[in-house]
Structure formats: C-alpha cells, structure tokens
Amino acid sequence: MKKTVVTLLALAFTAGNACSAFAAGPAGFARGLTDSSSVSYISEKDKIIPPFAQVLFCAQNPAECRDNNGLAVIALTDKQMLQLKDVNTAVNRTMIGRNDSRSELNGDVWKVNVRSGDCEDFALTKRSRLIAMGWSSRALRIATAYTPSGEGHAVLVVRTDKGDLVLDNRKSTIKNWRETDLRWDKIQSGTDPYVWYRL
C-alpha cells in the first residue's frame, strides 16, 4: 500500500495539478453529457492520474478515503433527500470560502471538516458528514470540473436511483449533474479513492 501511495504521488506530481485552487465561478453551460433519459449518470471514460492534492489528502487522512462497502447507488427516499439538503445547506452556510495560499502546495491543499476552505474542502466536508450519518462511501464521489469562466472547481456527486446529484458550494439547490453549469473534468472511483476517471 505504501509503495502504491508513493508511486501515485510521484505520478500525480509529475503530471502537474490540473485542478488547482478550485475556486467557485459564475454560471454557464454543462458538457460531458450522456443521453437525455429521465435518470442520468455521469459517463466515465478511461482512468486518469488523480489530483496530486487528493493523493496527499488520502495519505494523511486514510479514514476519510476508506471504502465502507456500502451500495454504489442509493435508493433516494424523502428522508435521504432531506439529509442531502440539510448537509449541503449547513456546510455552505457555516464554512467560509477562501482559496488556499499559494505557499501551500502550489495553492492546492485538500482539507476536511474545517471552518474555512475552497470548494474541494466543502465537498470533502459534505462527504464526511454524510458518511457519519450512515451513507455509503461508494455513492459519494468527488468530481472536478470547470466553471463557465474557466476556473477549476470541485463538487460532491451523489449517485442515486434518481441519477447523479451535485452538491456545490456555489449553490443552495441540489441539481442533477446534467442541469449544472459545469464542464466536467474527472471523477473519483466509488471503491478506490486512488482511481480517477476522465469525463
């Protein structure tokens, strides 16, 4: 395991960090879409090198990156939808948005359960809170994307029987991934946090 982490760190570092600070940006239009069926899931393509900061985050916070062997798709009940809304709203209201300092790992350090942070810190905190409430880690994945202004961004994607839902720190509403303004980049595997896919 240690050798795998070191190898991934080296690969991610040499590839550069395509998903730098992931600050939020204004609204726009979505790409990377599948067909227009009523239930829609993000379509994964080939494997891709994970974000360097995410590899470091998992190495430093292994409990946050552990697979809890739950369901990959959640049957979304009214109660669970309310939990999603409550967590999304609470984290968006209580965390203070701020970009990482350029002196911190080239401006990209992933953190969880902090008082302030940038978009991946919001996404990781939402994921952590939902897992603490009994949600399956396999259905809660971090995805990276670009806002219409071209800024890197990160969100939490929740896989449900109603489709992939997006919890975004820029928005109070939870949307189907096709209804967002994001141009999708890559997404984490549900079963292995060190595996990411191009979108």
Side-chain angles (χ1 to χ4, degrees), residues 2-45:
K2 188 173 182 181
K3 185 176 180 182
T4 302
V5 171
V6 171
T7 303
L8 284 169
L9 285 171
L11 284 171
F13 184 76
T14 56
N17 189 1
C19 309
S20 57
F22 287 108
F29 108 149
R31 278 194 214 166
L33 308 180
T34 57
D35 64 17
S36 60
S37 61
S38 59
V39 176
S40 175
Y41 298 104
I42 293 175
S43 180
E44 300 163 356
K45 296 180 180 146

Short mmCIF file of all heavy atoms in Angstrom, two decimals, residues 2-45:
data_model
loop_
_atom_site.label_atom_id
_atom_site.label_comp_id
_atom_site.label_asym_id
_atom_site.label_seq_id
_atom_site.Cartn_x
_atom_site.Cartn_y
_atom_site.Cartn_z
N LYS A 2 1.91 1.26 0.86
CA LYS A 2 2.78 2.42 0.95
C LYS A 2 3.47 2.68 -0.38
O LYS A 2 3.58 3.81 -0.83
CB LYS A 2 3.80 2.22 2.06
CG LYS A 2 4.61 3.45 2.36
CD LYS A 2 5.48 3.24 3.56
CE LYS A 2 6.26 4.51 3.88
NZ LYS A 2 7.13 4.34 5.02
N LYS A 3 3.91 1.59 -1.06
CA LYS A 3 4.56 1.73 -2.35
C LYS A 3 3.60 2.31 -3.38
O LYS A 3 3.97 3.15 -4.19
CB LYS A 3 5.09 0.37 -2.81
CG LYS A 3 5.89 0.44 -4.08
CD LYS A 3 6.46 -0.92 -4.42
CE LYS A 3 7.26 -0.83 -5.71
NZ LYS A 3 7.80 -2.12 -6.11
N THR A 4 2.33 1.87 -3.34
CA THR A 4 1.31 2.38 -4.25
C THR A 4 1.12 3.87 -4.05
O THR A 4 1.04 4.64 -5.02
CB THR A 4 -0.02 1.65 -4.04
OG1 THR A 4 0.19 0.26 -4.22
CG2 THR A 4 -1.09 2.15 -4.99
N VAL A 5 1.03 4.32 -2.79
CA VAL A 5 0.83 5.74 -2.49
C VAL A 5 2.01 6.55 -3.00
O VAL A 5 1.83 7.60 -3.63
CB VAL A 5 0.62 5.96 -0.98
CG1 VAL A 5 0.64 7.44 -0.64
CG2 VAL A 5 -0.68 5.33 -0.52
N VAL A 6 3.23 6.08 -2.77
CA VAL A 6 4.42 6.80 -3.22
C VAL A 6 4.44 6.89 -4.74
O VAL A 6 4.72 7.95 -5.31
CB VAL A 6 5.70 6.11 -2.68
CG1 VAL A 6 6.94 6.71 -3.32
CG2 VAL A 6 5.77 6.24 -1.16
N THR A 7 4.11 5.80 -5.41
CA THR A 7 4.07 5.79 -6.88
C THR A 7 3.04 6.79 -7.39
O THR A 7 3.30 7.56 -8.31
CB THR A 7 3.76 4.38 -7.41
OG1 THR A 7 4.74 3.47 -6.91
CG2 THR A 7 3.76 4.34 -8.92
N LEU A 8 1.85 6.76 -6.80
CA LEU A 8 0.79 7.69 -7.22
C LEU A 8 1.18 9.14 -6.96
O LEU A 8 0.90 10.02 -7.76
CB LEU A 8 -0.52 7.37 -6.51
CG LEU A 8 -1.26 6.15 -7.06
CD1 LEU A 8 -2.39 5.76 -6.12
CD2 LEU A 8 -1.79 6.42 -8.45
N LEU A 9 1.84 9.38 -5.83
CA LEU A 9 2.29 10.73 -5.53
C LEU A 9 3.27 11.21 -6.59
O LEU A 9 3.17 12.34 -7.07
CB LEU A 9 2.96 10.78 -4.15
CG LEU A 9 2.04 10.73 -2.94
CD1 LEU A 9 2.85 10.58 -1.67
CD2 LEU A 9 1.19 11.99 -2.88
N ALA A 10 4.19 10.35 -6.96
CA ALA A 10 5.18 10.73 -7.97
C ALA A 10 4.52 10.99 -9.32
O ALA A 10 4.81 11.98 -9.98
CB ALA A 10 6.23 9.62 -8.11
N LEU A 11 3.59 10.12 -9.72
CA LEU A 11 2.89 10.31 -11.00
C LEU A 11 2.07 11.58 -11.00
O LEU A 11 2.08 12.35 -11.96
CB LEU A 11 1.97 9.11 -11.27
CG LEU A 11 2.65 7.83 -11.74
CD1 LEU A 11 1.64 6.70 -11.76
CD2 LEU A 11 3.27 8.03 -13.10
N ALA A 12 1.34 11.80 -9.92
CA ALA A 12 0.49 12.99 -9.85
C ALA A 12 1.33 14.26 -9.84
O ALA A 12 0.98 15.26 -10.47
CB ALA A 12 -0.39 12.93 -8.61
N PHE A 13 2.46 14.23 -9.14
CA PHE A 13 3.32 15.41 -9.08
C PHE A 13 3.90 15.73 -10.45
O PHE A 13 3.89 16.87 -10.88
CB PHE A 13 4.44 15.19 -8.07
CG PHE A 13 5.30 16.41 -7.90
CD1 PHE A 13 4.82 17.49 -7.17
CD2 PHE A 13 6.54 16.49 -8.48
CE1 PHE A 13 5.60 18.63 -7.01
CE2 PHE A 13 7.32 17.62 -8.33
CZ PHE A 13 6.85 18.70 -7.58
N THR A 14 4.35 14.71 -11.17
CA THR A 14 4.95 14.95 -12.47
C THR A 14 3.91 15.38 -13.49
O THR A 14 4.21 16.11 -14.42
CB THR A 14 5.69 13.71 -13.00
OG1 THR A 14 4.77 12.62 -13.04
CG2 THR A 14 6.88 13.36 -12.13
N ALA A 15 2.66 14.95 -13.31
CA ALA A 15 1.62 15.34 -14.25
C ALA A 15 1.17 16.77 -14.03
O ALA A 15 0.52 17.36 -14.87
CB ALA A 15 0.41 14.40 -14.11
N GLY A 16 1.52 17.33 -12.88
CA GLY A 16 1.08 18.68 -12.56
C GLY A 16 -0.31 18.64 -11.97
O GLY A 16 -0.99 17.64 -12.00
N ASN A 17 -0.71 19.74 -11.46
CA ASN A 17 -2.01 19.79 -10.81
C ASN A 17 -2.98 20.54 -11.70
O ASN A 17 -3.06 21.74 -11.67
CB ASN A 17 -1.87 20.46 -9.44
CG ASN A 17 -3.13 20.34 -8.66
OD1 ASN A 17 -4.08 19.75 -9.13
ND2 ASN A 17 -3.14 20.90 -7.48
N ALA A 18 -3.73 19.80 -12.51
CA ALA A 18 -4.68 20.42 -13.44
C ALA A 18 -5.85 21.05 -12.71
O ALA A 18 -6.56 21.86 -13.27
CB ALA A 18 -5.18 19.37 -14.43
N CYS A 19 -6.07 20.66 -11.48
CA CYS A 19 -7.22 21.15 -10.71
C CYS A 19 -6.70 21.98 -9.57
O CYS A 19 -6.74 21.55 -8.43
CB CYS A 19 -8.03 19.98 -10.19
SG CYS A 19 -8.46 18.81 -11.46
N SER A 20 -6.21 23.17 -9.86
CA SER A 20 -5.53 23.96 -8.84
C SER A 20 -6.42 24.34 -7.68
O SER A 20 -6.83 23.50 -6.91
CB SER A 20 -4.88 25.17 -9.48
OG SER A 20 -5.84 25.93 -10.16
N ALA A 21 -6.74 25.58 -7.50
CA ALA A 21 -7.43 26.01 -6.28
C ALA A 21 -8.90 25.67 -6.25
O ALA A 21 -9.51 25.61 -5.21
CB ALA A 21 -7.26 27.51 -6.09
N PHE A 22 -9.51 25.44 -7.41
CA PHE A 22 -10.93 25.10 -7.50
C PHE A 22 -11.82 26.13 -6.83
O PHE A 22 -12.70 25.80 -6.07
CB PHE A 22 -11.20 23.71 -6.94
CG PHE A 22 -10.70 22.65 -7.84
CD1 PHE A 22 -9.60 21.92 -7.49
CD2 PHE A 22 -11.29 22.44 -9.06
CE1 PHE A 22 -9.12 20.95 -8.33
CE2 PHE A 22 -10.80 21.48 -9.90
CZ PHE A 22 -9.71 20.74 -9.54
N ALA A 23 -11.55 27.38 -7.11
CA ALA A 23 -12.43 28.43 -6.60
C ALA A 23 -13.72 28.45 -7.40
O ALA A 23 -13.75 28.02 -8.54
CB ALA A 23 -11.73 29.78 -6.71
N ALA A 24 -14.76 28.93 -6.79
CA ALA A 24 -16.06 28.97 -7.46
C ALA A 24 -16.09 30.11 -8.47
O ALA A 24 -15.41 31.10 -8.35
CB ALA A 24 -17.16 29.16 -6.43
N GLY A 25 -16.94 29.94 -9.51
CA GLY A 25 -17.10 30.96 -10.53
C GLY A 25 -18.57 31.15 -10.88
O GLY A 25 -19.43 30.51 -10.30
N PRO A 26 -18.87 32.01 -11.83
CA PRO A 26 -20.26 32.28 -12.19
C PRO A 26 -20.89 31.17 -13.02
O PRO A 26 -20.24 30.21 -13.39
CB PRO A 26 -20.15 33.57 -13.02
CG PRO A 26 -18.78 33.51 -13.59
CD PRO A 26 -17.94 32.83 -12.56
N ALA A 27 -22.16 31.32 -13.33
CA ALA A 27 -22.93 30.27 -14.02
C ALA A 27 -22.62 30.23 -15.52
O ALA A 27 -22.13 31.16 -16.09
CB ALA A 27 -24.41 30.51 -13.81
N GLY A 28 -22.98 29.09 -16.15
CA GLY A 28 -22.76 28.90 -17.58
C GLY A 28 -23.40 27.65 -18.08
O GLY A 28 -24.50 27.34 -17.69
N PHE A 29 -22.69 26.82 -18.91
CA PHE A 29 -23.35 25.66 -19.50
C PHE A 29 -22.57 24.38 -19.26
O PHE A 29 -21.40 24.40 -18.96
CB PHE A 29 -23.61 25.96 -20.97
CG PHE A 29 -22.80 25.28 -22.00
CD1 PHE A 29 -23.37 25.01 -23.23
CD2 PHE A 29 -21.50 24.93 -21.80
CE1 PHE A 29 -22.64 24.39 -24.21
CE2 PHE A 29 -20.78 24.30 -22.80
CZ PHE A 29 -21.36 24.04 -24.01
N ALA A 30 -23.24 23.22 -19.34
CA ALA A 30 -22.64 21.93 -18.98
C ALA A 30 -22.20 21.15 -20.20
O ALA A 30 -22.83 21.21 -21.24
CB ALA A 30 -23.64 21.12 -18.17
N ARG A 31 -21.14 20.37 -20.03
CA ARG A 31 -20.67 19.45 -21.08
C ARG A 31 -20.42 18.09 -20.49
O ARG A 31 -20.48 17.89 -19.30
CB ARG A 31 -19.35 19.97 -21.65
CG ARG A 31 -19.54 21.02 -22.68
CD ARG A 31 -18.24 21.21 -23.42
NE ARG A 31 -18.17 22.61 -23.77
CZ ARG A 31 -17.09 23.20 -24.17
NH1 ARG A 31 -15.98 22.55 -24.27
NH2 ARG A 31 -17.11 24.45 -24.49
N GLY A 32 -20.06 17.11 -21.34
CA GLY A 32 -19.78 15.76 -20.88
C GLY A 32 -21.05 15.01 -20.58
O GLY A 32 -21.10 14.20 -19.68
N LEU A 33 -22.08 15.28 -21.34
CA LEU A 33 -23.39 14.71 -21.04
C LEU A 33 -23.62 13.38 -21.75
O LEU A 33 -23.13 13.15 -22.84
CB LEU A 33 -24.49 15.69 -21.48
CG LEU A 33 -24.37 17.12 -20.97
CD1 LEU A 33 -25.53 17.94 -21.49
CD2 LEU A 33 -24.35 17.15 -19.47
N THR A 34 -24.41 12.53 -21.08
CA THR A 34 -24.86 11.30 -21.72
C THR A 34 -26.21 11.58 -22.37
O THR A 34 -26.60 12.72 -22.52
CB THR A 34 -24.97 10.15 -20.69
OG1 THR A 34 -25.87 10.57 -19.67
CG2 THR A 34 -23.62 9.80 -20.10
N ASP A 35 -26.97 10.54 -22.72
CA ASP A 35 -28.26 10.75 -23.37
C ASP A 35 -29.24 11.44 -22.44
O ASP A 35 -29.00 11.63 -21.27
CB ASP A 35 -28.83 9.43 -23.89
CG ASP A 35 -29.14 8.45 -22.77
OD1 ASP A 35 -29.21 8.87 -21.60
OD2 ASP A 35 -29.31 7.26 -23.08
N SER A 36 -30.38 11.82 -22.98
CA SER A 36 -31.33 12.62 -22.22
C SER A 36 -32.42 11.78 -21.56
O SER A 36 -33.57 12.18 -21.51
CB SER A 36 -31.95 13.67 -23.13
OG SER A 36 -32.61 13.03 -24.20
N SER A 37 -32.09 10.61 -21.06
CA SER A 37 -33.07 9.79 -20.36
C SER A 37 -33.43 10.44 -19.03
O SER A 37 -32.72 11.29 -18.53
CB SER A 37 -32.52 8.37 -20.14
OG SER A 37 -31.36 8.43 -19.35
N SER A 38 -34.54 10.01 -18.44
CA SER A 38 -35.01 10.65 -17.22
C SER A 38 -34.06 10.43 -16.05
O SER A 38 -33.96 11.27 -15.17
CB SER A 38 -36.41 10.14 -16.88
OG SER A 38 -36.39 8.74 -16.72
N VAL A 39 -33.40 9.28 -15.99
CA VAL A 39 -32.38 9.03 -14.97
C VAL A 39 -31.04 9.01 -15.68
O VAL A 39 -30.81 8.21 -16.58
CB VAL A 39 -32.63 7.70 -14.23
CG1 VAL A 39 -31.50 7.42 -13.25
CG2 VAL A 39 -33.97 7.73 -13.51
N SER A 40 -30.15 9.91 -15.27
CA SER A 40 -28.90 10.08 -15.99
C SER A 40 -27.71 10.02 -15.04
O SER A 40 -27.74 10.61 -13.97
CB SER A 40 -28.93 11.42 -16.72
OG SER A 40 -27.70 11.67 -17.33
N TYR A 41 -26.69 9.30 -15.49
CA TYR A 41 -25.46 9.18 -14.72
C TYR A 41 -24.28 9.72 -15.52
O TYR A 41 -24.26 9.63 -16.75
CB TYR A 41 -25.19 7.72 -14.35
CG TYR A 41 -26.27 7.14 -13.47
CD1 TYR A 41 -27.23 6.28 -13.99
CD2 TYR A 41 -26.36 7.48 -12.12
CE1 TYR A 41 -28.23 5.75 -13.18
CE2 TYR A 41 -27.35 6.96 -11.31
CZ TYR A 41 -28.28 6.10 -11.85
OH TYR A 41 -29.28 5.60 -11.05
N ILE A 42 -23.32 10.26 -14.81
CA ILE A 42 -22.09 10.72 -15.44
C ILE A 42 -21.41 9.53 -16.09
O ILE A 42 -21.29 8.46 -15.50
CB ILE A 42 -21.16 11.37 -14.39
CG1 ILE A 42 -21.79 12.66 -13.88
CG2 ILE A 42 -19.78 11.63 -14.96
CD1 ILE A 42 -21.02 13.33 -12.76
N SER A 43 -20.97 9.71 -17.32
CA SER A 43 -20.34 8.64 -18.08
C SER A 43 -18.82 8.71 -17.92
O SER A 43 -18.19 9.66 -18.38
CB SER A 43 -20.73 8.75 -19.55
OG SER A 43 -20.12 7.74 -20.30
N GLU A 44 -18.25 7.70 -17.26
CA GLU A 44 -16.81 7.66 -17.05
C GLU A 44 -16.10 7.14 -18.29
O GLU A 44 -16.61 6.27 -18.98
CB GLU A 44 -16.49 6.73 -15.87
CG GLU A 44 -17.12 7.18 -14.57
CD GLU A 44 -17.15 6.08 -13.53
OE1 GLU A 44 -16.75 4.94 -13.84
OE2 GLU A 44 -17.59 6.36 -12.41
N LYS A 45 -14.93 7.67 -18.53
CA LYS A 45 -14.12 7.21 -19.65
C LYS A 45 -12.90 6.47 -19.10
O LYS A 45 -13.03 5.71 -18.15
CB LYS A 45 -13.77 8.38 -20.55
CG LYS A 45 -15.05 8.97 -21.18
CD LYS A 45 -14.76 10.14 -22.07
CE LYS A 45 -16.09 10.63 -22.63
NZ LYS A 45 -16.11 12.06 -22.82
#
